[in-house]
Amino acid sequence: MKNKKMIIFSVVIVVMIAFVGIAIKNKPDTEENIGGDKEGTRVTVTYVEQQNIETKISSSGKLEAVNTKTVYLDATNKIAVLHKEVGDTVKKGELIITLDKEAEVRTQNELEALEKQLAAEKEALNQLVGKGSQTEILNAQATLAELKDSKKTAEQNIKDAQVKLDNLNKDLKDNEEDLATNEELLQVGAVSQKEIDDLKDAIDTIKQNISQQESNIALSKQSLSTIDAKIQTAQYSLDLLQNKVTDSSKKQQIAAKESSIKSIENQIENSQSDLVKTTTKIVAPIDGVLTYLPEEEGMTVSAGSKLMSIVDPSELKVNCDISPYYSADLRLDLDAIIKYTGSKTIEVPGKVSKISAVADVEKTTSGETVTLPVEVSVSEPGEVIKPGFSVDVKIITDTRENVCTVPILAIEEEDDFSYVYVVGEDGTLEKREVVQGLSNGLNIEVSNVEVGEMVVATVEEYITDGMKVSYEKIGDVE
């Protein structure tokens, strides 16, 4: 507080010294305008006044619109019609630009083609995961039945052949026994050689039949094995048609179809989104003034390019930088005055709407500059001030109404108390202790004085309590 006051004192004292110099230069020639003790030391006096005191923080900045909107083009297209021009005032929802329909038609055709492709893929998937047709199932059942009948026939043939083989083996054994007996009888002349030869021929024939029958049985068993394999295959095919089993190949086909369907669905979703983006009607997103439009009709605008900008001039703000010295005095919703100086000076009210949580530090060649960013909203901008104007900002940090005030230079401080010199009617000075209050840089609120009392305006070192002074009379206080 003391440093702050010393700065203010330095500014004000120059003004007061000049004032004193002028007063001395214009010292009246008659004694009628001299008050107090005419022989007393000449001093400058002033009255205690009743005033409203405000403390302010001054800054500056540029007016900006609170609400601005920029529209970007989502899909490359041509400008068919520009319904407005830059600088026009527009309403929310008002048609600003009509785009060419080519992109919309192209996207619609792509969407229809994708939907047909999706239907075909879903049908293919249904065929994979669903049952076969009734004809296919009946044919498969008939094939399986035929194979089972063939199996039964083959099994019966093997049984019959085995019986024949067993009989042949029995006949072979009997003939071999007869041959051994007859060969003994031949030694004694009981049988002829021809009977021996006939038995040998019969044995050879039986052996040939046995070999043939064993070969037939082996072939029949091999055939039976083949039939069994065919039956398994036929049964599996029937189960597939009846959707009782799913093989790895079929699983892979189903997975591939499902993946394809998902991909097409994503493409359809993107195309539907693109169709919305390729709308040919571009309308104003807010009320305001157009600040940007494409240059001409017929030009192609790429996806992602700026298509339109709108500024709402009815809500303005000022971003200004405040010295950290005043950070303790700042708070949200403080009243402010925004002043624009042109051919006429315009002042409009405002409010502190944002105080940065972090100070800005700018490095310079001489060191660092630290400022605190503050946003002031303009409550009633009116018709004159516009976004982009440079303005002065005064933030009112405190206000005192109808309080007693004296010039700052009328206050003296000694140890722990402050005082003023009150001038009596006879010119005698009274050193009176006061309590300082709010100051606006020129005047300061004080206690223990009354409106209309006269005090020394500028206290010099030689002034003391009880001394007699003279002064040039001033007009009565209002």
Side-chain angles (χ1 to χ4, degrees):
M1 176 68 185
K2 198 155 187 177
N3 290 337
K4 182 179 178 181
K5 185 173 179 183
M6 289 301 295
I7 295 171
I8 298 171
F9 279 0
S10 300
V11 175
V12 175
I13 195 167
V14 175
V15 178
M16 296 304 295
I17 290 173
F19 177 79
V20 172
I22 293 171
I24 293 173
K25 182 178 180 181
N26 297 325
K27 183 176 181 181
D29 296 330
T30 65
E31 297 295 320
E32 295 178 358
N33 291 329
I34 302 301
D37 186 342
K38 292 181 174 49
E39 302 299 325
T41 303
R42 182 65 57 85
V43 295
T44 303
V45 296
T46 187
Y47 287 116
V48 175
E49 296 182 351
Q50 187 178 64
Q51 292 182 326
N52 296 335
I53 293 286
E54 290 181 343
T55 55
K56 302 175 182 178
I57 302 172
S58 298
S59 186
S60 61
K62 281 192 175 182
L63 288 168
E64 300 177 21
V66 173
N67 195 8
T68 64
K69 289 290 183 181
T70 298
V71 178
Y72 296 91
L73 190 61
D74 293 307
T76 299
N77 209 334
K78 290 182 180 180
I79 305 299
V81 183
L82 293 172
H83 299 277
K84 297 290 181 179
E85 296 180 353
V86 171
D88 286 350
T89 299
V90 298
K91 292 291 185 182
K92 181 179 180 180
E94 189 173 355
L95 180 62
I96 308 299
I97 300 171
T98 298
L99 298 174
D100 191 84
K101 290 185 177 181
E102 180 181 345
E104 183 179 8
V105 172
R106 183 174 61 251
T107 304
Q108 182 65 51
N109 291 338
E110 290 174 355
L111 180 60
E112 290 175 357
L114 285 170
E115 288 174 342
K116 290 179 180 179
Q117 185 180 355
L118 178 63
E121 290 294 283
K122 285 185 174 181
E123 177 61 26
L125 178 62
N126 289 335
Q127 291 178 1
L128 281 172
V129 299
K131 293 181 179 181
S133 67
Q134 188 65 27
T135 301
E136 290 175 325
I137 293 174
L138 289 174
N139 289 337
Q141 288 174 335
T143 299
L144 181 61
E146 289 175 2
L147 288 169
K148 288 182 176 180
D149 288 342
S150 296
K151 179 180 180 179
K152 289 180 180 179
T153 299
E155 288 175 337
Q156 186 60 49
N157 289 338
I158 291 172
K159 288 180 180 179
D160 293 341
Q162 187 64 48
V163 170
K164 291 179 180 179
L165 180 61
D166 291 341
N167 290 333
L168 287 171
N169 284 324
K170 184 175 181 297
D171 290 343
L172 177 60
K173 182 180 179 181
D174 291 341
N175 280 289
E176 286 177 338
E177 289 177 353
D178 288 345
L179 177 60
T181 302
N182 287 340
E183 284 178 340
E184 291 178 358
L185 292 175
L186 180 61
Q187 296 297 328
V188 295
V191 294
S192 65
Q193 183 62 45
K194 183 177 182 304
E195 289 176 323
I196 296 295
D197 292 337
D198 288 340
L199 280 174
K200 287 181 178 181
D201 291 338
I203 289 173
D204 289 338
T205 299
I206 291 172
K207 285 181 177 180
Q208 290 176 0
N209 289 335
I210 289 174
S211 178
Q212 183 64 44
Q213 201 63 35
E214 288 176 341
S215 178
N216 290 339
I217 290 174
L219 289 173
S220 295
K221 287 184 177 180
Q222 186 177 358
S223 176
L224 181 61
S225 177
T226 300
I227 292 172
D228 283 335
K230 289 182 177 180
I231 288 174
Q232 289 181 351
T233 300
Q235 184 64 59
Y236 186 71
S237 297
L238 178 60
D239 289 343
L240 285 175
L241 289 171
Q242 293 177 329
N243 205 23
K244 293 181 179 179
V245 295
T246 304
D247 63 0
S248 59
S249 175
K250 190 172 182 179
K251 286 181 179 179
Q252 290 176 355
Q253 293 177 39
I254 291 173
K257 286 297 178 187
E258 289 175 339
S259 177
S260 176
I261 288 171
K262 184 64 176 177
S263 176
I264 295 171
E265 287 175 340
N266 289 337
Q267 292 179 61
I268 288 175
E269 184 177 345
N270 292 334
S271 292
Q272 289 172 336
S273 177
D274 289 342
L275 190 61
V276 173
K277 294 175 183 177
T278 55
T279 177
T280 59
K281 307 297 182 182
I282 307 299
V283 299
I286 59 171
D287 294 348
V289 177
L290 288 166
T291 59
Y292 175 83
L293 283 174
E295 295 179 1
E296 59 186 14
E297 295 176 351
M299 68 179 293
T300 299
V301 182
S302 300
S305 298
K306 184 164 66 171
L307 193 60
M308 170 175 58
S309 291
I310 298 180
V311 172
D312 180 2
S314 65
E315 294 184 59
L316 303 180
K317 65 181 180 179
V318 183
N319 288 313
C320 50
D321 293 327
I322 303 298
S323 169
Y325 178 84
Y326 298 105
S327 61
D329 300 324
L330 287 169
R331 61 183 182 276
L332 293 176
D333 294 327
L334 283 176
D335 289 328
I337 298 173
I338 295 92
K339 183 173 74 172
Y340 168 69
T341 304
S343 59
K344 293 182 179 179
T345 298
I346 306 296
E347 290 188 350
V348 293
K351 291 274 189 184
V352 175
S353 52
K354 186 181 296 183
I355 301 171
S356 176
V358 181
D360 282 346
V361 180
E362 181 180 355
K363 294 187 180 296
T364 63
T365 54
S366 59
E368 290 183 342
T369 300
V370 181
T371 56
L372 183 64
V374 173
E375 179 186 281
V376 177
S377 61
V378 182
S379 306
E380 300 171 11
E383 299 296 328
V384 177
I385 61 175
K386 309 293 182 184
F389 282 11
S390 295
V391 292
D392 295 320
V393 179
K394 292 188 182 296
I395 299 171
I396 301 169
T397 58
D398 207 349
T399 302
R400 297 282 191 276
E401 295 183 353
N402 300 321
V403 295
C404 291
T405 65
V406 298
I408 283 181
L409 294 182
I411 297 285
E412 279 293 302
E413 296 180 351
E414 183 178 308
D415 297 330
D416 294 331
F417 70 94
S418 303
Y419 61 87
V420 296
Y421 284 103
V422 179
V423 182
E425 290 184 2
D426 61 354
T428 303
L429 296 184
E430 174 195 350
K431 184 178 182 180
R432 187 182 298 175
E433 183 177 355
V434 294
V435 176
Q436 299 183 55
L438 203 61
S439 171
N440 62 7
L442 292 176
N443 298 313
I444 187 168
E445 173 191 1
V446 292
S447 65
N448 200 29
V449 293
E450 295 182 2
V451 174
E453 284 191 301
M454 188 179 293
V455 298
V456 177
T458 305
V459 180
E460 306 290 350
E461 291 183 359
Y462 57 82
I463 296 176
T464 61
D465 185 28
M467 74 180 294
K468 297 288 186 175
V469 297
S470 63
Y471 53 86
E472 183 180 352
K473 292 180 180 179
I474 56 179
D476 294 336
V477 65
E478 294 183 357

